[in-house]
Amino acid sequence: MEGHLRSGEFRYAEAFRRWRAGDETAFEDLAKAIASRIYPIALRALASREAAEEATQEALVRIYMRASQVADPEVFESWALKVALSRINDRFRGVKRFRKAQAGLTELRAAMGSPEALGALEREELAQALSEALGAIDEKHREVFLLREVEGLSHREISKMLGVPEGTVWSRLSYARKMLREHLIERGMTP
Amino acid sequence: VTANERRSCEELRDALSDFMDGRLEAGSPARAAVESHLAGCEACREYLEDMRAVSAAFRAHPGDMPAGRLEAVVGRAMAEIRVSRAAGARRRRLRLGALAAASLAAAAVLVAALLAFRGAPERSGGREPEKPAASLPGRVSGVADLAGEERSRRALASWREAELCGVERPEESHESAGLVRAIRMAELDEELLAAAR
């Protein structure tokens, strides 16, 4: 079960019902589906495989422990993603990472077309710089940005998931993009 | 650059994110305004390129889990869940046990009091009226509980500290970090049970 398991391919509500009915293996199926969606977000946000794996693991445990909150199986999928996002946000709150990153917007632009053109070290620095910029903006903008750019959700889907008006999603996304750009430039990363 | 031009650049930049994601319909006045500004303003074209670069870099960064890691992470989560569920069950049993011990103690006190009251004259030279036996494990478990809490609080504090300082934990402790935490809690439960026996 590699790569993305997009909603629609895996029936979260159905697996959730089976789990509710006492089938513990159903949670393992849910966990795999959720992990394959959370991990890419966590990795891009945290820029560390170790941290991304830990955040994913912690999110799964938290989802298991708190699933009794979910009354309607149909909302389990978005609820679980929200729990996972909050775990990623917790890490930003707790861990202050101020390592020097040299990657600039020039590299960002180079990476646009062909990330493989960058050396491993440059890619590492780039990921670190992006992660630090993400850490510098606040939660509500960060989660909209991640859901849009990494999860690839539509503005409407994000609005439904976070329970905010669609117009708010558009404006938060705009603000997030502007702030991320500014943070990267502030760090001396002018193109 | 005049103040007016700067203002119109700022307004445009607020609309660029919407423009990028296709919110401005083709042929609409809003879209036409953005397009004509971009055509005449290099700084704003650069700005748009920057925003696209930031978004694209996030998407381009490889984020798929290496083969085998998904199973490993899910496996670790499931193990942590199993251990902490078992510890939770043990805690619940212990609480029930403590409740039973407390009721026993109360009953013992009652019986002792009753006996002392009824048999006072004959027993006056005899052995001391027994202290309710069940109160001892109760006290011991209370102390152990406090000590245990203190220990787990300290463990948690040092854990958080390591996390805050961004200390790289050794691979082994990373692999088993969750388990270690859960096992520590289970061990505390065992100690409590032993103390209560």
Side-chain angles (χ1 to χ4, degrees):
Chain A
M1 207 186 280
E2 288 299 318
H4 282 266
L5 266 178
R6 305 292 315 181
S7 41
E9 289 173 26
F10 181 80
R11 297 185 179 280
Y12 287 86
E14 198 184 296
F16 182 71
R17 281 196 193 92
R18 274 198 290 133
W19 179 38
R20 270 273 163 90
D23 178 2
E24 281 291 314
T25 62
F27 182 77
E28 213 158 322
D29 295 341
L30 282 170
K32 282 181 187 157
I34 295 164
S36 65
R37 289 178 69 186
I38 297 169
Y39 180 82
I41 304 180
L43 180 61
R44 284 170 172 98
L46 302 168
S48 142
R49 285 200 185 285
E50 188 190 50
E53 287 193 8
E54 278 181 11
T56 306
Q57 182 184 340
E58 285 163 8
L60 293 178
V61 174
R62 198 183 276 196
I63 288 164
Y64 184 99
M65 298 301 182
R66 295 192 183 174
S68 59
Q69 294 173 354
V70 180
D72 176 6
E74 297 299 329
V75 303
F76 174 78
E77 179 185 355
S78 60
W79 173 83
L81 273 180
K82 253 159 86 172
V83 171
L85 273 178
S86 85
R87 188 65 211 112
I88 294 170
N89 276 330
D90 282 353
R91 285 195 161 246
F92 274 113
R93 218 174 292 140
V95 187
K96 294 257 177 269
R97 284 163 304 142
F98 286 118
R99 268 179 254 156
K100 286 260 179 287
Q102 300 302 317
L105 283 170
T106 323
E107 283 88 341
L108 285 186
R109 287 182 186 178
M112 264 179 78
S114 48
E116 61 279 0
L118 293 174
L121 192 68
E122 285 168 311
R123 233 178 302 171
E124 178 72 21
E125 282 175 352
L126 180 65
Q128 193 64 44
L130 291 170
S131 173
E132 281 175 22
L134 263 186
I137 65 176
D138 61 72
E139 274 177 39
K140 58 180 200 268
H141 297 106
R142 187 192 304 139
E143 59 191 14
V144 169
F145 182 84
L146 287 173
L147 289 173
R148 174 80 193 131
E149 302 296 10
V150 183
E151 253 300 279
L153 296 184
S154 73
H155 301 72
R156 182 167 302 163
E157 285 170 319
I158 299 171
S159 140
K160 256 175 73 182
M161 189 179 143
L162 299 178
V164 298
E166 219 175 305
T168 308
V169 173
W170 284 97
S171 63
R172 282 186 189 170
L173 186 61
S174 170
Y175 185 79
R177 283 172 172 157
K178 285 175 79 174
M179 292 315 285
L180 287 172
R181 177 191 168 275
E182 255 168 54
H183 280 292
L184 288 166
I185 287 176
E186 238 172 56
R187 298 179 60 84
M189 297 171 186
T190 35
Chain B
V1 182
T2 68
N4 261 348
E5 276 170 345
R6 209 174 308 132
R7 203 167 32 246
S8 80
C9 284
E10 274 164 26
E11 276 168 20
L12 179 104
R13 286 169 190 188
D14 285 338
L16 281 183
S17 174
D18 291 4
F19 177 74
M20 267 171 71
D21 283 1
R23 194 187 193 187
L24 312 178
E25 273 172 52
S28 68
R31 192 180 169 106
V34 171
E35 280 168 342
S36 80
H37 182 108
L38 284 176
C41 178
E42 202 193 333
C44 283
R45 281 202 302 276
E46 289 266 319
Y47 196 101
L48 177 63
E49 281 309 299
D50 286 351
M51 283 173 86
R52 282 192 173 137
V54 172
S55 293
F58 270 96
R59 272 180 252 146
H61 185 51
D64 283 336
M65 239 171 180
R69 295 312 295 158
L70 179 75
E71 284 73 15
V73 169
V74 170
R76 284 209 307 261
M78 295 307 293
E80 187 174 345
I81 288 165
R82 271 193 293 276
V83 174
S84 60
R85 277 187 66 194
R90 265 200 293 274
R91 266 197 301 280
R92 275 192 295 280
R93 276 202 299 277
L94 193 67
R95 270 202 294 276
L96 278 178
L99 200 69
S103 347
L104 259 175
V109 170
L110 203 70
V111 170
L114 218 69
L115 284 176
F117 179 70
R118 283 166 71 188
E122 302 101 86
R123 282 179 180 262
S124 56
R127 59 195 167 103
E128 292 258 297
E130 236 176 272
K131 279 206 177 116
S135 74
L136 184 64
R139 275 210 309 270
V140 170
S141 88
V143 171
D145 213 355
L146 280 176
E149 255 180 43
E150 181 54 32
R151 267 181 43 192
S152 51
R153 226 195 326 272
R154 255 185 287 141
L156 204 66
S158 64
W159 178 267
R160 289 221 178 96
E161 225 167 83
E163 214 173 39
L164 277 174
C165 302
V167 172
E168 299 266 319
R169 285 187 293 275
E171 185 60 21
E172 189 194 61
S173 78
H174 155 60
E175 286 289 323
S176 51
L179 266 178
V180 167
R181 245 177 317 169
I183 287 169
R184 201 176 285 140
M185 284 178 71
E187 277 173 353
L188 284 174
D189 282 343
E190 293 294 349
E191 279 174 29
L192 279 174
L193 269 178
R197 269 188 209 118

